Amino acid sequence: MKALVLLALLALAVPATAQVRILETTPHPDDPMAGPQLADPIVDAPPIQLSLFQRADEKLGDDKFQPEIGQAGKDVIWVPTPDSLVKAMLTVAEVRPDDYVVDLGAGDGKIAIAAGRDFGARAHGIEYNPEMVALAQRNAQRAGVAGKVTFQQGDIFETDFSSATVVTMYLLPSLNLKLRDTILKMKPGTRVVSHAFSMGDWDPERTINTDDATGYFWIVPANVEGRWAFEVGNDRFAAELKQTYQVLDLPKGSPLREGRLRGTGISLTRANGQELAGSVNGDQMVGRGWVATRIKPAS
Ligand SMILES: C[S@@+](CC[C@H](N)C(=O)[O-])C[C@H]1O[C@@H](n2cnc3c(N)ncnc32)[C@H](O)[C@@H]1O
């Protein structure tokens, strides 16, 4: 099993290329045209030779420590994300200087360093292997971003990363699932990007395909479950909202036909076809010409 996991990670991590090209990013609503469904890469991974993944001129590590691709980690081995996908992940997540990016299982620090160096964000990496942490810190220094890109030795399952505005990861499907509840409790609007692996039945907003690899992008949705009183122009009505992640589940007979969240942004379609776009702030929703108040939390 361990060998299969290694092959799967390696199969998804082809060598870095200098040129960055996002081939496509696929919106992923509940739409039959949505991007590729996630095959189980552990099962599908073809056997690949380690040497294929390292360019002859590529230097891993430094004179103090040379990590090896495939070396053991606590819950998953180390395989670096290709440069092209690092850039694509941070681009799709729209990382800005006011963001705080946390990479879970930071390896040599390349995602956090790119967030600081290329996107101007503050960034932090949590990594279990102390030698990798020290290497990541030296890499941040060499990249001139040690002031805003930090690393700590720690277990991602025991470290608080709730203040992140962007979370990145390259782990395993089972580890993503283990993190999912914690991530869903983060501030609505938090962006999450995973190299290669899904989050179970939480559909991504976008699928990111580069020449090298695939990533998935989610936005933590606001919680809107409960009963809401709507005022739309002169209309008054109440609606019970349930949600599966970012998608609202509206029963037959509801005054709302469809609904979807994008962080704190909400778009609703009334049964009469009127579109309502707005934003959620706790127990209030506000849009142009309409407001709603939560009158009963989810039971
Ligand atoms: C596949 S590598 C990804 C490295 C980096 N994020 C990247 O994409 O280039 C996964 C990393 O997670 C680390 N790791 C494994 N289990 C961990 C845990 N429980 N807590 C923190 N780091 C862990 C490994 O040592 C390894 O460096």
Side-chain angles (χ1 to χ4, degrees), residues 5-62:
V5 171
L6 168 64
L7 289 173
L9 284 163
L10 292 173
L12 290 155
V14 292
T17 52
Q19 202 189 16
V20 170
R21 189 156 66 102
I22 302 176
L23 290 182
E24 55 163 327
T25 72
T26 313
H28 201 300
D30 304 322
D31 138 2
M33 301 299 287
Q37 290 303 300
L38 307 181
D40 183 344
I42 292 177
V43 173
D44 291 347
I48 307 270
Q49 285 173 356
L50 264 179
S51 57
L52 291 178
F53 292 90
Q54 197 176 343
R55 284 197 319 237
D57 60 345
E58 194 176 20
K59 193 168 166 262
L60 299 173
D62 58 14

Side-chain angles (χ1 to χ4, degrees), residues 37-252:
Q37 290 303 300
L38 307 181
D40 183 344
I42 292 177
V43 173
D44 291 347
I48 307 270
Q49 285 173 356
L50 264 179
S51 57
L52 291 178
F53 292 90
Q54 197 176 343
R55 284 197 319 237
D57 60 345
E58 194 176 20
K59 193 168 166 262
L60 299 173
D62 58 14
D63 51 357
K64 291 202 171 75
F65 180 61
Q66 277 106 47
E68 272 181 30
I69 291 180
Q71 73 187 19
K74 179 174 175 286
D75 293 305
V76 61
I77 59 172
W78 176 63
V79 179
T81 294
D83 291 351
S84 56
L85 187 64
V86 171
K87 184 141 194 186
M89 287 164 72
L90 299 172
T91 301
V92 170
E94 294 182 21
V95 172
R96 297 177 304 256
D98 60 349
D99 275 315
Y100 180 48
V101 178
V102 174
D103 188 32
L104 302 177
D108 64 1
K110 67 186 297 181
I111 294 182
I113 290 168
R117 184 193 56 216
D118 305 335
F119 294 79
R122 277 188 313 124
H124 185 68
I126 304 166
E127 168 58 50
Y128 197 77
N129 179 333
E131 288 177 302
M132 293 301 277
V133 174
L135 172 63
Q137 284 164 337
R138 291 192 299 275
N139 286 342
Q141 246 153 23
R142 281 187 280 264
V145 291
K148 58 180 169 189
V149 180
T150 54
F151 295 93
Q152 76 177 95
Q153 192 281 326
D155 186 329
I156 54 172
F157 297 105
E158 288 169 14
T159 306
D160 179 16
F161 56 89
S162 58
S163 57
T165 58
V166 178
V167 177
T168 58
M169 65 192 81
Y170 179 21
L171 298 167
L172 284 174
S174 57
L175 303 182
N176 286 8
L177 269 189
K178 212 168 145 188
L179 289 165
R180 192 175 68 184
D181 278 354
T182 306
I183 289 173
L184 283 165
K185 287 190 192 110
M186 292 177 77
K187 198 170 168 220
T190 303
R191 289 97 81 204
V192 182
V193 208
S194 166
H195 174 182
F197 300 118
S198 71
M199 289 268 184
D201 62 357
W202 182 12
D203 284 340
E205 289 288 327
R206 302 193 87 84
T207 297
I208 309 161
N209 289 309
T210 65
D211 287 332
D212 295 324
T214 295
Y216 300 98
F217 171 65
W218 299 261
I219 303 173
V220 173
N223 179 338
V224 294
E225 297 223 323
R227 191 165 179 78
W228 292 76
F230 284 82
E231 296 178 23
V232 184
N234 292 326
D235 292 353
R236 304 281 179 274
F237 61 89
E240 191 78 34
L241 302 188
K242 282 195 172 32
Q243 69 191 93
T244 304
Y245 310 107
Q246 64 270 47
V247 178
L248 298 194
D249 311 317
L250 297 158
K252 271 215 166 91

Side-chain angles (χ1 to χ4, degrees), residues 218-294:
W218 299 261
I219 303 173
V220 173
N223 179 338
V224 294
E225 297 223 323
R227 191 165 179 78
W228 292 76
F230 284 82
E231 296 178 23
V232 184
N234 292 326
D235 292 353
R236 304 281 179 274
F237 61 89
E240 191 78 34
L241 302 188
K242 282 195 172 32
Q243 69 191 93
T244 304
Y245 310 107
Q246 64 270 47
V247 178
L248 298 194
D249 311 317
L250 297 158
K252 271 215 166 91
S254 168
L256 297 171
R257 193 199 292 161
E258 269 174 22
R260 193 174 172 85
L261 289 148
R262 193 177 154 83
T264 55
I266 188 159
S267 50
L268 300 164
T269 309
R270 290 178 69 184
N272 67 9
Q274 184 184 6
E275 305 279 348
L276 304 176
S279 59
V280 183
N281 185 359
D283 292 334
Q284 295 286 317
M285 290 181 202
V286 183
R288 188 180 282 209
W290 68 278
V291 293
T293 306
R294 184 161 13 205

